[in-house]
Amino acid sequence: MKSTNEREQLIKDINVLLHQAYDSTLDEIYTLLKRIDDIDDEEDLKAIKEAREDIRINGTVSWDEIQNEIRNEIKQDVA
């Protein structure tokens, strides 16, 4: 994951290129970005469905169990 400054600079650089691009290129870029966004949405929905199925099959984990796991991991990291 990029830092905030890296992201801001990248966006500025992209904007410079976008302002120089032909209309047809902008249309292609928009289509590609939209396709990437749609794929991300599909992957998110798939992950949600898989998580729900896992919960249905295996049940859920209580908050107490999660807290105990975190405490145990912290103890192991310190030791």
Side-chain angles (χ1 to χ4, degrees):
M1 180 162 239
K2 295 189 180 296
S3 70
T4 302
N5 290 339
E6 290 174 320
R7 286 180 55 83
E8 288 175 2
Q9 185 59 49
L10 184 58
I11 290 169
K12 287 178 185 176
D13 294 344
I14 290 170
N15 272 322
V16 168
L17 294 173
L18 288 175
H19 285 287
Q20 297 172 357
Y22 294 112
D23 289 343
S24 60
T25 304
L26 291 175
D27 291 338
E28 290 176 31
I29 292 169
Y30 176 80
T31 301
L32 288 171
L33 289 173
K34 185 68 177 138
R35 190 175 330 157
I36 290 168
D37 190 45
D38 291 345
I39 290 170
D40 287 345
D41 288 346
E42 288 173 14
E43 289 173 356
D44 290 345
L45 288 173
K46 182 180 176 188
I48 290 169
K49 288 177 184 177
E50 289 172 357
R52 285 183 180 160
E53 182 66 13
D54 183 56
I55 289 170
R56 187 184 69 74
I57 293 169
N58 299 316
T60 59
V61 178
S62 72
W63 179 240
D64 290 332
E65 289 177 282
I66 293 171
Q67 287 176 320
N68 287 335
E69 283 184 26
I70 292 171
R71 282 188 202 108
N72 289 337
E73 287 178 12
I74 291 172
K75 288 178 186 177
Q76 289 176 357
D77 288 342
V78 172

